[in-house]
Amino acid sequence: MIGIKRLADELGLSIGTVSRALNNRPDVNDATRQRVKEAALRLGYVPNQSGRSLRAGQTGVVAFVMQTGHEITGHGDTFIMGVFSGIQTALAKHRLDLVALLCPSDEDAEDYLKRMVSRGFADGFILSSTQHVDRRIDFLAERGVPFVTLGRSSSDAGQPWIDTDFAGIAEVSIARLASKGHRRIAITVPNDETNLGFVFTEAARSALHAQGLALDPELIFGFVPNEASGYDIASRLLALPDRPTAIILLNPGLTIGLYRRLIEAGVEPGKDIAVIGRDSPQSPFLSPRLTYFREDLDSLGIALGQALLASMPRFAKSYPSGVVRQVWPSELIEGESDGLVIR
């Protein structure tokens, strides 16, 4: 592969003449234009896309910003990859490419985003791991950069967002468990400032209150999204003098670790403790079968991509719905893991 300077040198022409010939400018005669194009094909000329993007003020790229780190496993692999497929479907209609920007978990997320924006890396951004207070939202809004967030935040710049219905998961789970006689219901929330933890905790507190119950701080278990954290939660749960009779898991990765530790202790999910979780590829193969919530991730991704496109001036006319702010529904899939009835 060669660039335009090498192509010009090979032909003994100026870079300007070669450029005009490649772009079919009328001030280049047909013979020269044909000679340049044949040489470009023969020599493997590749245009400088970054230069073209700079001149056009467009990159043709949308960036999905996500966190990485040795503790972040399970949830990201399953959930995000499912969403990616739908986003790509939405973007492909406009010949836009999706790239993932991987922010290390030990780096400040705002600093990382500022560096990416300063490089003119993308035409629009999709932010995940939305924080309760998320400075990235204000940063992008102040600079007029099109973006959408996967998740709500108390930081509100009027931006589009789509969020999983964590409040609905809390309400349905607690009503279901309370109807089976459970009074000590444990919940799990992220160990950081991710906004879903705040949404879920408040919804769980309200749902418990509606059942005449209170949210015991002792029964709020923090997690990082992996199997080891599920194992640790089960160990802490088993050590309590007054154990909960039910637990709601917000992350798919927790379930395998939790199951293993409970079974090691002779505590069987579904018979000795009720468990409700989130969907993962492993869910259908767990024993007892997990009762879990799942989302249509492909459709979620399409909606997320379209919400971003609606905020981009070039494509807004194709998406007249304007700013999208949507709570995405979850479906309960009944299994055996929450079969325990307290009499």
Side-chain angles (χ1 to χ4, degrees), residues 14 30 35 62 66 73 75 94 98 118 136 147 158 163 166 168 174 191 229-230 233 237 242 277-278 283 296 321 329:
S14 71
D30 291 340
R35 180 180 164 223
V62 165
M66 58 187 291
T73 61
H75 178 71
H94 303 279
L98 177 68
S118 70
R136 300 176 301 170
F147 72 103
D163 197 6
F166 292 105
I174 288 170
N191 252 347
S229 191
I233 287 171
L237 180 155
D242 186 10
R278 298 279 306 286
S283 297
D296 182 345
S321 57

Side-chain angles (χ1 to χ4, degrees), residues 167-211:
I169 290 174
E171 292 162 4
V172 172
S173 297
I174 288 170
R176 180 179 174 89
L177 293 169
S179 72
K180 297 182 179 184
H182 293 276
R183 295 294 178 264
R184 286 185 60 74
I185 301 171
I187 67 171
T188 56
V189 295
N191 252 347
D192 56 21
E193 292 294 304
T194 306
N195 193 59
L196 71 88
F198 292 85
V199 172
F200 184 77
T201 300
E202 288 309 306
R205 181 175 286 111
S206 296
L208 286 165
H209 180 75
Q211 300 291 335

Side-chain angles (χ1 to χ4, degrees), residues 152 161-164 303 324-329:
R152 286 165 283 180
W161 55 258
I162 297 178
D163 197 6
T164 299
V324 174
R325 312 190 112 187
Q326 183 177 2
V327 175
W328 196 261

Side-chain angles (χ1 to χ4, degrees), residues 96-261:
L96 295 172
D97 294 315
L98 177 68
V99 299
L101 296 182
L102 308 180
C103 175
S105 58
D106 58 356
E107 181 173 355
D108 182 83
E110 184 184 13
D111 290 343
Y112 177 85
L113 181 63
K114 285 180 177 178
R115 191 164 71 251
M116 296 301 105
V117 171
S118 70
R119 292 175 178 173
F121 193 85
D123 298 334
F125 290 83
I126 301 171
L127 304 182
S128 64
S129 302
T130 312
Q131 303 295 289
H132 186 55
V133 176
D134 201 321
R135 299 191 308 271
R136 300 176 301 170
I137 290 173
D138 294 328
F139 170 75
L140 291 176
E142 288 168 1
R143 283 153 185 78
V145 177
F147 72 103
V148 61
T149 62
L150 178 54
R152 286 165 283 180
S153 171
S154 62
S155 300
D156 191 344
Q159 81 282 354
W161 55 258
I162 297 178
D163 197 6
T164 299
D165 188 10
F166 292 105
I169 290 174
E171 292 162 4
V172 172
S173 297
I174 288 170
R176 180 179 174 89
L177 293 169
S179 72
K180 297 182 179 184
H182 293 276
R183 295 294 178 264
R184 286 185 60 74
I185 301 171
I187 67 171
T188 56
V189 295
N191 252 347
D192 56 21
E193 292 294 304
T194 306
N195 193 59
L196 71 88
F198 292 85
V199 172
F200 184 77
T201 300
E202 288 309 306
R205 181 175 286 111
S206 296
L208 286 165
H209 180 75
Q211 300 291 335
L213 305 172
L215 179 59
D216 186 343
E218 187 178 54
L219 301 185
I220 303 174
F221 293 93
F223 68 80
V224 293
N226 59 36
E227 293 83 354
S229 191
Y231 189 94
D232 177 66
I233 287 171
S235 295
R236 287 186 281 153
L237 180 155
L238 291 167
L240 292 174
D242 186 10
R243 295 181 193 168
T245 60
I247 186 167
I248 305 167
L249 305 176
L250 272 195
N251 182 271
L254 302 176
T255 311
I256 293 176
L258 182 110
Y259 262 47
R260 177 176 174 178
R261 181 67 186 98

